[in-house]
Amino acid sequence: MAALEEPPPHSVLTESQRRVVGSALTLFAFLGSVALVVLACIIVGRFLGFFANVLWPLAAAGVMALMMRPIVVWLQRRFRLRRLTAVILL
């Protein structure tokens, strides 16, 4: 394995300065990521608040459809019905 190469002698920053700058950039990147996550949560919260009148009935309909699916399948098998007929009958 090759030894670590030393920076050229005409480097602008010393080794300790490069570590400080690297740490600062890492911290800023981390804080930027946290800020983006917080901003995304705020935007999603406002979106859900704005469309709540539409989303809640859709969510309830989805849950009811999942709960009634076994009954529809049973009606299809038991009475040999098409799916649409079983849904309408239910």
Side-chain angles (χ1 to χ4, degrees), residues 7-86:
H10 61 278
S11 178
V12 176
L13 299 175
T14 65
E15 181 65 30
S16 62
Q17 289 173 333
R18 274 190 296 217
R19 286 185 182 167
V20 169
V21 169
S23 298
L25 290 176
T26 303
L27 177 65
F28 286 139
F30 176 74
L31 292 177
S33 298
V34 169
L36 285 176
V37 168
V38 168
L39 182 65
C41 289
I42 290 171
I43 289 173
V44 167
R46 289 190 180 187
F47 175 81
L48 290 176
F50 186 73
F51 289 109
N53 293 335
V54 174
L55 293 176
W56 282 113
L58 285 176
V63 169
M64 288 175 56
L66 288 173
M67 289 172 44
M68 293 181 189
R69 186 171 184 266
I71 300 170
V72 171
V73 171
W74 180 79
L75 286 172
Q76 284 180 297
R77 289 184 184 160
R78 174 84 169 126
F79 299 110
R80 298 180 192 261
L81 299 172
R82 292 187 346 215
R83 186 167 193 85
L84 180 62
T85 309

